Amino acid sequence: MTYGTTTQVASELGRLPDSITETEQAQWSQWLERVERAIAARFARAGLVLDEQVALGAPSADTVADVEVVAVARKVVNPSGDTSTTVTVDDASVTRRREGVGTASGLDLTDAEWALLLPASSSGAFSVRPFYEPDLFSPWAWL
């Protein structure tokens, strides 16, 4: 069972739930499952379990559902993952580009969506500690 539902996808697309065909419902369910497997795999690579993290509220179930639903709605609107479209009439042409949208499966998440699910660690080379912690330096170590 995925966090996002086909009813939420329909709502995201501005459609009534009863206007969804059985074929669309089956397809969207499969896509929701595929997105959730990708999310769970990324969590596993980070040494985490998605369901355990959701139980802890980091991220919340609603956030996971939102990300899944938006990814599937994006796939419904642009099933082939096109990043540009060119329309030519006589001697004129217009090209529309969508940066960072086209993917191999059309279900890949954006960096902003991954940031919602797996926020970056707050520690690092340029982090600020709100308390005093002396550096572990001994001047005698060099002698």
Side-chain angles (χ1 to χ4, degrees):
M1 187 73 184
T2 60
Y3 291 95
T5 65
T6 56
T7 304
Q8 290 173 314
V9 174
S11 178
E12 184 75 19
L13 295 169
R15 293 179 56 187
L16 295 173
D18 57 348
S19 70
I20 305 169
T21 66
E22 288 183 30
T23 304
E24 286 175 324
Q25 189 167 7
Q27 188 176 45
W28 296 355
S29 292
Q30 182 177 357
W31 290 347
L32 285 166
E33 291 170 7
R34 190 179 306 159
V35 171
E36 188 159 317
R37 282 193 304 270
I39 293 170
R42 175 77 67 99
F43 270 74
R45 283 194 300 273
L48 304 169
V49 177
L50 175 62
D51 292 334
E52 290 175 4
Q53 290 302 116
V54 169
L56 294 172
S60 69
D62 290 337
T63 300
V64 177
D66 289 344
V67 170
E68 290 177 1
V69 167
V70 168
V72 171
R74 188 170 47 235
K75 171 83 170 168
V76 171
V77 171
N78 186 11
S80 60
D82 293 337
T83 58
S84 68
T85 305
T86 303
V87 178
T88 304
V89 177
D90 294 332
D91 292 338
S93 67
V94 175
T95 301
R96 293 185 180 160
R97 294 193 86 157
R98 292 177 294 283
E99 296 295 329
V101 175
T103 59
S105 70
L107 291 171
D108 293 336
L109 302 181
T110 65
D111 291 339
E113 291 164 343
W114 282 119
L116 286 172
L117 297 171
L118 284 167
S121 170
S122 63
S123 65
F126 300 104
S127 64
V128 177
R129 293 175 281 195
F131 53 88
Y132 176 72
E133 183 177 307
D135 292 332
L136 299 175
F137 172 73
S138 171
W140 310 114
W142 296 97
L143 298 176

